Amino acid sequence: MIKIKSAYELERMRVSCGMAATVRDAVAKAIKPGVTTMELDEYAQELIAGMDAKSAFYGYRGFPGHICVSTNDEVVHGIPGKRLIQMGDILSVDFGVVYDGFVGDTATTVMVGVSDPEVIRLVTVTEQALQAAIDQAVAGRRLSDISHAVESVAVGAGFTVVRDFVGHGIGRSMHEEPQIPNFGAPGRGPKLKAGMTFALEPMVNLGSEEVEVMSDGWTVLTKDRKVSAHFEHTVAVGQEKAEILTIARK
Ligand code: MG
């Protein structure tokens, strides 16, 4: 069953999602050559503590980081560590916060002095695929209209979408029903209703769609070791249009 959030619950999700967005944006700004991904994690930890919030990732099935940082051929679930950020890297920063019983989940991909036009195009298209997904999060559409929109944009641009990991419902838990694949035919699945809240998160690969999990048990990387990009927003389905909840608020 897909939960419909009340006005009160949505108001509380705006708060937790706003915090997630604030941390996402601050960590994204701190990305530069010479910084380690562990330093990004420590910075996030500090910001979260200052908000009296908690990372939804830290300790989740034993995950050791407060954020996920996935570099270049890593798709998602990268563990922060000693790796130094270098010119030409792309990094996806994924962060989930829990505040007052509600979760916000968001990710962005940052390019560090990238000059390869195909990589720049990949990152641009992945963000466009997320926007296309958000545009379908409207009452009356079917769930797979979201999936199809992502696939159309990504595959239409000559890239592939990861099939092993998907978007998800979100609210009091990080993962609620439904699962939201980034591929598939339109017009299928449950009818969307205002007040459903989803974490939409296209993962788009430059090469093959195939991925594998590293020996650390977490890091997902592309089998062909080509780069991958990832963007994510938590959104509320609306009557006329979706509301992006993971927007930094003052
Ligand atoms: Mg997510």
Side-chain angles (χ1 to χ4, degrees), residues 134-155:
I134 294 167
D135 291 345
Q136 294 298 321
V138 176
R141 305 275 163 83
R142 298 275 181 181
L143 186 65
S144 81
D145 293 341
I146 293 175
S147 309
H148 183 71
V150 172
E151 185 177 31
S152 299
V153 170
V155 173

Side-chain angles (χ1 to χ4, degrees), residues 50-84:
M51 293 168 169
D52 282 326
K54 281 193 173 142
S55 164
F57 295 175
Y58 184 73
Y60 179 85
R61 297 185 183 164
F63 187 77
H66 296 82
I67 56 176
C68 296
V69 187
S70 309
T71 307
N72 300 331
D73 58 358
E74 297 171 2
V75 180
V76 285
H77 304 166
I79 299 173
K82 290 179 189 156
R83 189 187 186 286
L84 285 171

Side-chain angles (χ1 to χ4, degrees), residues 57 94 105-106 166-168 170 174-175 199 201 230 232:
F57 295 175
D94 193 349
D105 193 3
T106 184
V166 297
H168 48 97
I170 184 168
M174 182 155 62
H175 297 116
E201 51 177 324
H230 176 216
E232 179 176 24

Side-chain angles (χ1 to χ4, degrees), residues 148-197:
H148 183 71
V150 172
E151 185 177 31
S152 299
V153 170
V155 173
F159 302 123
T160 62
V161 294
V162 173
R163 301 170 95 88
D164 294 5
F165 297 86
V166 297
H168 48 97
I170 184 168
R172 290 181 189 270
S173 301
M174 182 155 62
H175 297 116
E176 296 185 348
E177 284 184 50
Q179 294 199 348
I180 310 170
N182 291 307
F183 59 90
R188 295 181 188 166
K191 226 179 214 183
L192 304 184
K193 292 184 182 147
M196 291 178 173
T197 46

Side-chain angles (χ1 to χ4, degrees), residues 12-32:
R12 287 167 67 174
M13 284 193 70
R14 284 183 193 101
V15 176
S16 58
C17 288
M19 289 174 168
T22 298
V23 173
R24 175 201 66 210
D25 293 350
V27 171
K29 266 194 193 160
I31 291 173
K32 55 184 181 212

